[in-house]
Amino acid sequence: MGQEIDTSHFTPADFETFGIRLRQETELLEGWFRDGVFASTPKVGGFELEAYLVAADLSPAPIVESFLERLADPLVVPELATFNAEINGTPQRLRGDALSRLAVELEATWKHCVQAAAGLDARLAMIGILPTVRPEHLDMAHMSPLNRYRALNEQILQLRRRRPFTLNIRGKDHLFLEPQNVMTESATTSFQIHLQVSPEEAGRLYNWSKVLAAPMVAVSANSPFLFGCDLWEESRIPLFEQAFSVGGPFFRERATFGLRYVEDSVLECFHANLDRFPVLLPQVMDEPPERLAHLRLHNGTIWRWNRPLIGFDATGTPHLRIEHRVMPAGPSIADAIANAALYFGTVQSFAEEGTHPRRRMPFSVAKGNFYQAAREGLDAEVEWLDRRPSTLRQVLTDDLLPRASRGLTELGIAAAETEHWLGIIAGRLRTGQTGSAWQRAWIARHGRDLTALTAAYLEHQESGLPVHQWPL
């Protein structure tokens, strides 16, 4: 969700001044792309992992302030709800044993988080949607006290003309609710992968990330249940989109798969930000234009499933990152890092080919594949490259796993690393047991007791085993 702001109340002058600075910074960014200002360093990978705090009765535990105070770790920060937290990883140059280094750091941070939560009689869960979360948990009383979130809620409600939101998801069951605020988004927790790239290849990587969104969401699905309803394999996708809907034309919706591939550069996304999306957080900042403070704040309120980001290194040199946002949290640390390995390897392999994906998959097909994958997971029937029909399980097994191996080799990842982390993905494909598949199979065997499901899930998660090895 990004940086904090000073206030949750704004004047018309704030919007006007912010708009002027946003346009100036967008023009400055155009010059950076034209003049080659961005760092062209080897690829760097990182992540953000969102998690639930869970009480002794296995319901969400709204204790994040006490938790963060006890933890005192700058890598762990608050999220939208007082029962969520976000764990950040230190970015790693993608070579050698980088994946294991990401895993070791995450394991250490997670252990400290678990210890801090235990001191508050709570546990941590990495899962797309906690099965025990209920609508009554998602009220303003459980919203983070940070100004940013309250301002987002107020501005989106204003764009909706104060009309309630609509949560309407048809899966195995049908869920229909009319929430009064954006807090339903806090029911979703994700594993967001960051890939720092050169400006020359950012457009290709961004486009291929869209193509890969369908298989990535299918192989990582971990969110079948919401409010007692059995919905999509990855119900987080429609929930997130509907939770932040502004209720206007589709091209102004802020949480979407997007409208098209970029043609030449991810700069096109920042032009779209300026032209299509009203400002939500007009926090005017005393920063030089070269920090792009207003442009980056605005970009942080547009939640594309693949999103270009701009950051700065220690010397102040700007860099570009692709944020791949489609995957849920969990089921285990091993699964999360394996998912990252699959993404890093496959997107590298496609980018090396140098072709624009529209030659092999129209954007409408990539988009349709994505939502089909979220509904049906690995069993989803899709059109793959060159319009070939296939299931996503076949696509991943026959095409993407070999590609990922080649791509990780091209990056300089050690062979033993590649074999280990992609071996976890291979095990998941061989058994068909994703997090969602395991949750549904557990319910089929033991009955629809979501509290007992959560207890079993946490027990297996705490074992450290990847999900394809979890028993029922």
Side-chain angles (χ1 to χ4, degrees):
M1 286 290 188
Q3 70 205 66
E4 174 60 321
I5 58 176
D6 294 337
T7 181
S8 59
H9 302 286
F10 304 106
T11 67
D14 292 327
F15 282 92
E16 181 178 2
T17 303
F18 189 99
I20 291 170
R21 297 195 181 185
L22 177 61
R23 187 167 295 278
Q24 290 172 340
E25 291 172 12
T26 304
E27 291 173 356
L28 178 61
L29 183 63
E30 291 176 10
W32 287 4
F33 274 92
R34 182 180 60 249
D35 299 335
V37 172
F38 287 102
S40 291
T41 56
K43 292 187 178 67
V44 174
F47 64 82
E48 303 167 38
L49 172 65
E50 298 166 349
Y52 271 91
L53 289 155
V54 181
D57 66 357
L58 300 179
S59 66
I63 57 169
V64 71
E65 291 178 275
S66 300
F67 168 74
L68 293 175
E69 182 179 358
R70 179 180 287 262
L71 186 66
D73 187 336
L75 290 175
V76 187
V77 297
E79 256 290 343
L80 174 59
T82 54
F83 49 77
N84 294 146
E86 177 186 284
I87 298 170
N88 292 275
T90 304
Q92 300 289 337
R93 165 85 181 274
L94 291 178
R95 61 181 178 181
D97 64 347
L99 297 166
S100 288
R101 281 183 275 122
L102 289 170
V104 167
E105 183 188 55
L106 178 54
E107 287 167 354
T109 305
W110 185 260
K111 181 180 179 180
H112 293 156
C113 289
V114 167
Q115 292 169 344
L120 299 167
D121 196 24
R123 298 162 79 180
L124 249 68
M126 58 177 101
I127 188 169
I129 299 173
L130 191 71
T132 54
V133 72
R134 300 295 305 166
E136 54 266 28
H137 297 128
L138 307 177
D139 60 12
M140 294 297 290
H142 292 116
M143 179 180 278
S144 166
L146 296 178
N147 290 324
R148 176 184 179 87
Y149 302 125
R150 297 181 182 274
L152 274 174
N153 183 67
E154 177 60 26
Q155 294 302 320
I156 291 177
L157 282 171
Q158 287 194 29
L159 287 176
R160 295 184 60 83
R161 297 183 175 87
R162 318 304 296 189
R163 292 171 297 178
F165 296 80
T166 299
L167 191 60
N168 186 6
I169 307 174
R170 289 185 181 273
K172 295 180 184 296
D173 300 326
H174 180 203
L175 175 65
F176 182 87
L177 290 173
E178 291 188 329
Q180 302 299 308
N181 53 60
V182 301
M183 277 293 290
T184 47
E185 186 278 332
S186 65
T188 75
T189 52
S190 62
F191 180 67
Q192 299 162 15
I193 300 175
H194 290 237
L195 178 62
Q196 183 177 326
V197 299
S198 69
E200 296 77 19
E201 59 183 349
R204 290 199 308 276
L205 288 158
Y206 178 75
N207 285 336
W208 282 112
S209 294
K210 287 179 176 286
V211 172
L212 289 170
M216 292 304 303
V217 80
V219 78
S220 65
N222 197 25
S223 314
F225 298 109
L226 175 62
F227 305 151
C229 295
D230 186 347
L231 300 172
W232 292 15
E233 285 285 298
E234 190 47 42
S235 306
R236 203 181 101 264
I237 301 301
L239 174 57
F240 192 98
E241 291 188 354
Q242 294 177 26
F244 277 131
S245 172
V246 298
F250 176 78
F251 67 86
R252 289 187 183 272
E253 290 289 12
R254 307 178 84 95
T256 70
F257 189 76
L259 300 178
R260 60 178 179 83
Y261 297 124
V262 300
E263 289 301 313
D264 300 308
S265 164
V266 294
L267 176 63
E268 296 161 35
C269 296
F270 294 96
H271 283 149
N273 290 357
L274 178 67
D275 297 338
R276 291 192 357 233
F277 298 103
V279 171
L280 293 183
L281 301 178
Q283 173 70 56
V284 178
M285 290 166 276
D286 185 20
E287 294 273 1
E290 293 76 15
R291 296 301 297 174
L292 303 185
H294 303 83
L295 180 145
R296 290 189 292 143
L297 177 58
H298 184 52
N299 188 50
T301 67
I302 301 161
W303 299 279
R304 298 174 176 93
W305 289 114
N306 291 280
R307 179 165 64 177
L309 301 175
I310 296 168
F312 296 88
D313 65 19
T315 67
T317 304
H319 65 251
L320 289 170
R321 301 197 306 277
I322 306 300
E323 183 184 36
H324 194 58
R325 301 169 46 82
V326 305
M327 285 173 288
S332 70
I333 290 173
D335 286 304
I337 301 303
N339 292 339
L342 179 65
Y343 171 71
F344 292 143
T346 50
V347 79
Q348 170 69 20
S349 175
F350 278 120
E352 284 290 315
E353 293 182 0
T355 56
H356 196 291
R358 67 169 175 268
R359 298 179 182 175
R360 306 197 63 189
M361 182 181 292
F363 180 81
S364 60
V365 172
K367 181 177 179 179
N369 287 350
F370 174 67
Y371 291 104
Q372 193 72 359
R375 288 187 186 92
E376 299 183 12
L378 291 174
D379 293 331
E381 295 273 355
V382 299
E383 290 185 17
W384 192 234
L385 302 178
D386 306 320
R387 310 300 288 263
R388 298 193 311 271
S390 183
T391 67
L392 283 172
R393 191 171 179 178
Q394 291 172 320
V395 166
L396 283 150
T397 302
D398 299 339
D399 186 6
L400 297 187
L401 267 182
R403 282 185 181 276
S405 181
R406 293 195 299 271
L408 292 175
T409 299
E410 290 163 1
L411 288 168
I413 297 294
E417 286 273 288
T418 296
E419 182 178 358
H420 172 71
W421 295 109
L422 295 186
I424 293 172
I425 300 296
R428 215 183 297 162
L429 294 173
R430 185 176 61 253
T431 62
Q433 186 159 287
T434 62
S436 281
W438 181 87
Q439 290 183 58
R440 282 178 160 154
W442 193 96
I443 289 293
R445 175 169 294 187
H446 300 283
R448 196 176 288 198
D449 182 338
L450 297 178
T451 300
L453 168 65
T454 303
Y457 182 97
L458 288 175
E459 179 183 351
H460 291 312
Q461 183 171 92
E462 290 162 1
S463 77
L465 290 174
V467 73
H468 74 276
Q469 295 180 15
W470 289 11
L472 295 173

